[in-house]
């Protein structure tokens, strides 16, 4: 009895899947510290980009939801597929336009949240561009610049608080935010644990 | 020469500046994008009269500007340290040393090393490995060491690591990529423990681990014989003399067999090297490195037999069918065993060697032949018959690996024909009482038992044990 074409096809697929010659090639063992897989950066972009764009658009109710959705889908897809600094910068600029909405609002404190998200997207995009999905990034490398990042974010918070105060926005938290930013800057500046001085002395 | 796109001659750039400050570092597109986005948002905020828009681009702008002020001055260097000498399967290792120490920078305060090292590590038969690592273990260190290991089970000369390296600093500066290559290393075959092995029917030499057919000094009793001139006095058996000749008119001595050594020649058929995937037999595709080829099996089997024979005190020689110029003559001892294993590791197919008719190598008289072959053509059959005609016992070790199933119809038919021809050859050898022992896959465990059975069968021919 001749087997049916479907049976033959199923058998060939089974043999193809079980073919030992088609196994992935062996890997090179490299002893490092704890690492993250490269695809996690793209997965993070998948969450961060819509979060940035929807947060920005939420501050401007005049923008239709469909427009926001389309922009978010396009920007997210572009950044996940093609994570380059240019696409990240473009996405941040688009988020700023959505946040602006061609309105003349006073200082919106949500800009601080957007600044944090934009910075995270820029950083994550850099890592996604430099580590292929199957590659690995050492967590120690990810955290190598944490003092610098903290300082930048604290300085941004300080600037934001000052701008908020200058714009006359009556938010009591702005004073607290500025104070926290100053304290953060001082802590980062004085922190010497684990970092060498520029002159090479400990 | 060019360093980071800058032409350097006699230690100076074309502008006359010292070349020491240029190590191939250049700002990345991330820096440009951060500056452009920041300026764009600042402009927009000015036009819109809203400071909060500018704030969105401030962190990236600040970070990029800050990082740009600390231009890296020293390159990230990498060196690959490999253990010297030969190695064994599964032990192909190396250590990558990353160094960020200040080089010729006159001012230590200007030492701005790379903080992230991007590595692409490649090796033949392995997947490429992409890594982004911290360039230093701690900020106080001048670098770090990264152990590397390959997953190959292959033996013989093996290409090792190629590492492409690029340093970066604060995600703003990037270095020109550099490459570090490992040396080709020789992987020696390992040896599996074997018990007793078949020996030649006639032994040679005046001493050795085996009992020969000759009379002489030894431990194995041959007979009791009347004393003749030349017999040693300490060999007189006084009990027998008292029993057989109470008057002591005839003395009786105990005569023993002399000891001797066996001579074996390992003949490795290295004319071809085939893996378990028959799609690679015609030279297309890459043979996987995590599966042994026929030559790896031959090396392993030959090293195991050589080790067992040398440990027993016998003499072992080596012949390579693809490389006939420098055979290793039979000898004994640990140093000779190292020479044998080294020679086995260097055995490799020669161009068109499988197309030529093989002339049987000249063998010492009374030597047993261990032939390691895949039996994929008729040449081994001719060799075996020639040797047996001249009185050499032959043991054939089949080194063809277990073949994977193939989907392609034409390959399946080709393999079926080749397999039937091969089985026919094995049956022919079996009919001519030539033992064929398989060394592939699970049958390797049975090889020790087969060798032991053959050695026991040969004991019937050992002088002194046969009445």
């Amino acid at each position: 009895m001749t087997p049916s074409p479907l049976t033959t096809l199923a058998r060939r697929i089974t043999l193809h899947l079980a073919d030992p010659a088609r196994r992935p090639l062996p890997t090179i063992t490299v002893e490092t510290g704890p690492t993250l897989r490269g695809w996690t950066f793209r997965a993070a972009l998948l969450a961060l980009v819509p979060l940035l764009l929807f947060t920005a658009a939420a501050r401007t109710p005049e923008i239709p939801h469909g427009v926001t959705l389309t922009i978010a889908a396009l920007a997210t897809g572009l950044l996940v597929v093609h994570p380059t600094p240019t696409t990240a910068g473009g996405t941040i600029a688009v988020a700023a336009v959505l946040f602006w909405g061609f309105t003349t609002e006073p200082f919106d404190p949500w800009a601080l949240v957007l600044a944090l998200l934009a910075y995270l997207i820029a950083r994550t995009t850099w890592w996604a561009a430099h580590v292929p999905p199957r590659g690995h990034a050492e967590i120690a490398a990810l955290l190598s610049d944490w003092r610098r990042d903290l300082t930048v974010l604290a300085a941004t918070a300080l600037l934001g608080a000052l701008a908020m105060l200058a714009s006359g926005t009556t938010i009591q938290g702005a004073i607290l935010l500025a104070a926290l930013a100053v304290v953060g800057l001082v802590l980062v500046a004085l922190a010497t644990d684990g970092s060498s001085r520029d002159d090479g002395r400990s | 020469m060019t360093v980071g796109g800058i032409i350097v001659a006699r230690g100076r750039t074309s502008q006359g500046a010292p070349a020491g400050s240029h190590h191939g570092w250049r700002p990345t597109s991330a820096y440009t994008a951060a500056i452009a986005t920041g300026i764009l948002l600042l402009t927009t905020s000015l036009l819109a009269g809203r400071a909060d828009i500018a704030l969105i681009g401030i962190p990236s702008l600040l970070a990029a500007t800050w990082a740009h002020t600390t231009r890296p001055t020293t390159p990230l260097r990498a060196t690959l340290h490999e253990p010297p000498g030969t190695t064994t399967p599964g032990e192909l290792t190396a250590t990558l040393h990353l160094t960020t120490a200040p080089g010729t920078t006159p001012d230590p305060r200007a030492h701005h090393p790379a903080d992230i090292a991007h590595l692409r590590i490649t090796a033949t038969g392995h997947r490429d490995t992409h890594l982004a690592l911290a360039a230093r273990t701690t900020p106080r260190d001048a670098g770090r060491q990264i152990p590397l290991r390959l997953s190959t089970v292959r033996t013989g000369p093996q290409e090792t690591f190629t590492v492409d390296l690029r340093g970066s600093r604060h995600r703003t500066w990037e270095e020109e990529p550099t490459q570090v290559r490992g040396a080709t290393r020789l992987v020696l075959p390992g040896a599996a423990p074997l018990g007793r092995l078949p020996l030649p029917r006639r032994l040679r030499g005046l001493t050795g681990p085996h009992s020969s057919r000759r009379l002489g000094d030894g431990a194995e009793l041959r007979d009791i014989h009347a004393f003749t001139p030349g017999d040693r006095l300490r060999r007189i058996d006084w009990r027998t003399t008292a029993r057989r000749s109470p008057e002591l008119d005839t003395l009786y001595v105990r005569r023993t067999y002399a000891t001797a050594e066996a001579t074996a020649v390992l003949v490795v058929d290295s004319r071809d090297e085939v893996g378990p995937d028959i799609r690679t037999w015609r030279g297309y595709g890459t043979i996987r490195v995590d599966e042994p080829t026929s030559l790896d099996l031959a090396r392993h089997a030959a090293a195991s037999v050589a080790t067992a024979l040398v440990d027993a005190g016998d003499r072992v020689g080596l012949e390579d069918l693809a490389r006939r110029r420098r055979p290793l003559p039979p000898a004994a001892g640990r140093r000779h065993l190292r020479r044998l294993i080294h020679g086995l590791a260097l055995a490799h197919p020669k161009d068109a060697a499988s197309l030529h008719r093989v002339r049987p190598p000249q063998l010492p008289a009374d030597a047993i032949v261990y032939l390691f072959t895949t039996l994929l053509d008729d040449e081994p059959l001719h060799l075996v018959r020639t040797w047996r005609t001249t009185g050499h016992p032959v043991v054939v070790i089949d080194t063809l690996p277990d073949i994977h199933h193939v989907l392609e119809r034409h390959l399946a038919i080709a393999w079926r024909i080749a397999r039937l021809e091969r089985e026919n050859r094995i049956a022919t050898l079996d009919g001519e009482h030539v033992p064929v022992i398989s060394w592939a896959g699970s049958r390797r465990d049975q090889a020790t038992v087969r060798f032991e059975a053959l050695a026991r069968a040969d004991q019937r021919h050992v002088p002194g044990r046969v009445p």
Side-chain angles (χ1 to χ4, degrees):
Chain A
M1 179 180 157
T2 309
S4 67
L6 204 63
T7 312
T8 309
L9 182 67
R11 182 175 171 274
R12 286 185 71 81
I13 290 172
T14 310
L15 287 173
H16 180 83
L17 293 175
D19 188 358
R22 297 190 191 278
R23 286 175 294 151
L25 292 173
T27 55
I28 302 169
T29 307
V30 185
E31 291 180 26
T32 64
T35 58
L36 282 181
R37 296 298 296 265
W39 57 264
T40 53
F41 300 111
R42 293 169 193 254
L45 284 175
L46 208 60
L48 284 172
V49 176
L51 186 63
L52 171 74
L53 292 171
F54 282 123
T55 308
R59 305 306 299 167
T60 311
E62 292 81 11
I63 299 176
H65 188 65
V67 174
T68 312
L69 204 63
T70 308
I71 291 174
L74 285 174
T76 306
L78 191 64
L79 262 180
V80 169
V81 174
H82 193 58
T84 63
T86 312
T87 50
T91 304
I92 292 168
V94 168
V97 171
L98 289 176
F99 179 66
W100 173 25
F102 302 100
T103 58
T104 53
E105 295 288 324
F107 189 93
D108 190 345
W110 278 89
L112 288 170
V113 177
L114 292 183
L116 173 66
L117 285 173
Y119 191 66
L120 279 176
I121 285 174
R123 285 284 172 264
T124 311
T125 305
W126 188 88
W127 280 106
H130 283 76
V131 183
R134 287 186 178 179
H136 291 80
E138 202 174 28
I139 292 175
L142 292 171
L143 300 176
S144 62
D145 260 357
W146 70 270
R147 281 192 178 82
R148 182 175 288 259
D149 292 337
L150 201 62
T151 308
V152 164
L153 289 175
T156 307
L158 183 61
L159 279 174
L162 292 176
M164 204 183 300
L165 290 174
S167 66
T169 307
T170 55
I171 292 181
Q172 298 298 323
I175 300 167
L176 181 63
L177 189 65
L180 284 175
V182 170
V183 170
L185 276 173
V186 169
L187 281 176
V188 169
L190 293 180
T192 54
D193 184 23
S195 65
S196 60
R197 288 167 46 158
D198 283 348
D199 57 3
R201 297 172 189 169
S202 57
Chain B
M1 64 180 286
T2 305
V3 178
I6 299 166
I7 298 171
V8 176
R10 295 180 182 176
R12 289 190 173 272
T13 65
S14 55
Q15 282 80 30
S21 58
H22 296 278
H23 292 284
W25 290 98
R26 61 184 177 191
T28 61
S29 58
Y31 167 75
T32 313
I35 296 291
T37 309
I39 290 173
L40 177 70
L41 295 185
L42 278 174
T43 311
T44 310
S45 71
L46 280 175
L47 292 174
R50 288 183 56 170
D52 47 0
I53 295 175
L55 204 63
I56 298 172
I58 286 292
S60 298
L61 188 64
L62 272 180
T65 311
W66 188 4
H68 197 254
T69 58
T70 56
R71 182 192 176 101
T73 50
T74 52
L76 179 64
R77 292 193 181 91
T79 47
L80 205 54
H81 293 252
E82 294 176 296
T86 56
T87 184
T88 51
E91 295 297 327
L92 263 179
T93 59
T95 306
L96 183 70
H97 288 232
L98 297 179
T99 313
T100 60
T104 56
T105 309
D107 185 4
R109 286 174 298 181
H111 172 49
H112 301 305
D115 52 6
I116 297 170
H118 302 272
L119 305 174
R120 184 180 66 184
I121 307 169
T122 54
T124 308
H126 290 73
R127 267 183 280 172
D128 290 0
T129 302
H130 296 262
L131 285 168
L133 304 176
R136 294 170 290 174
T137 312
T138 65
R140 294 175 195 278
D141 292 337
R144 65 180 294 185
Q145 298 181 2
I146 304 160
L148 312 173
R149 178 187 292 271
L150 291 183
S151 308
T152 178
V153 296
R154 305 282 299 280
T155 53
Q158 297 290 320
E159 296 287 333
T160 57
F161 307 91
T162 300
V163 182
D164 293 305
L165 170 78
R166 164 180 275 178
S168 72
R169 179 175 168 80
H170 299 327
R171 297 173 289 266
T172 300
W173 294 97
E174 272 185 353
E175 201 179 10
E176 290 287 319
T178 55
Q179 193 176 71
V180 184
R181 278 181 178 276
T184 301
R185 299 189 63 196
L186 187 64
V187 182
L188 301 180
L194 295 176
R196 286 190 300 169
L197 296 173
L199 296 174
R201 296 191 186 94
R202 284 189 295 274
L203 303 173
R204 303 183 74 190
L206 299 176
T207 183
H210 311 290
S211 296
S212 71
R213 198 185 291 265
R214 296 189 312 272
L215 286 173
D217 286 336
E220 194 167 339
L221 177 67
R222 182 178 187 269
D223 60 2
I224 303 292
H225 194 269
F227 186 88
T228 54
D231 285 340
R232 296 191 174 188
L233 293 177
R234 65 184 176 87
R235 290 205 169 269
I236 297 174
D237 189 341
W238 292 109
R239 283 189 183 179
T240 308
T241 302
R243 192 167 56 248
R244 292 190 180 180
S245 175
E247 302 300 325
L248 293 179
D249 50 352
T250 304
L251 297 174
Y252 288 90
V253 293
R254 295 169 63 87
R255 297 197 304 183
T256 55
Y257 287 108
T259 54
E261 60 192 0
T263 301
V265 177
L266 314 178
V267 181
V268 179
D269 185 1
S270 60
R271 292 172 301 144
D272 53 8
E273 181 175 20
V274 294
D277 185 4
I278 64 171
R279 281 168 286 214
T280 61
W281 284 15
R282 291 284 294 172
Y284 303 114
T286 308
I287 301 176
R288 293 184 65 91
V289 295
D290 54 351
E291 294 170 337
T293 63
S294 61
L295 198 51
D296 293 323
L297 292 177
R299 288 184 184 123
H300 184 238
S304 304
V305 170
T307 305
L309 289 171
V310 169
D311 284 346
D314 294 320
R315 297 160 63 85
V316 185
L318 175 65
E319 286 276 356
D320 183 353
L321 288 186
R323 199 162 165 263
R324 301 290 307 284
R325 288 188 177 176
R326 301 177 67 184
L328 278 173
R334 307 300 300 179
R335 182 179 291 182
H336 183 68
L337 178 62
R338 284 198 294 273
R339 271 200 296 270
L340 284 172
I341 291 177
H342 202 88
L344 285 170
L346 289 175
H348 64 277
K350 205 175 172 184
D351 289 341
S354 58
L355 301 177
H356 300 151
R357 183 172 174 80
V358 180
R359 294 177 61 191
Q362 293 291 323
L363 301 178
D366 307 328
I368 186 172
V369 181
Y370 288 89
L371 174 62
F372 304 88
T373 178
T374 56
L375 289 165
L376 284 172
D377 61 2
D378 286 333
E379 292 296 335
L381 221 59
H382 299 147
L383 292 174
V384 169
R385 282 174 180 156
T386 308
W387 286 324
R388 282 174 63 83
T389 305
T390 53
H392 294 286
V394 181
V395 178
V396 176
I397 290 98
D398 175 15
T399 58
L400 187 73
D402 292 334
I403 303 300
H404 295 329
H405 187 80
V406 284
L407 290 174
E408 293 83 352
R409 188 171 172 77
H410 64 289
L411 286 176
I413 292 171
W415 166 235
R416 190 178 170 201
I417 294 168
R419 181 167 52 84
L420 289 173
E421 287 178 348
R422 191 172 166 278
E423 285 172 358
N424 193 28
R425 284 182 205 108
I426 293 173
T428 305
L429 287 172
D430 196 41
E432 295 175 7
H433 305 292
V434 177
V436 180
I437 298 173
S438 180
W439 196 264
S442 58
R443 285 165 292 172
R444 188 186 306 170
D445 298 334
Q446 301 166 11
T448 309
V449 181
R450 290 287 313 276
F451 278 128
E452 179 73 25
L454 288 172
R456 284 192 179 190
D458 281 355
Q459 277 183 352
R460 289 195 294 270
H461 304 291
V462 173
R465 295 186 189 249
V466 179

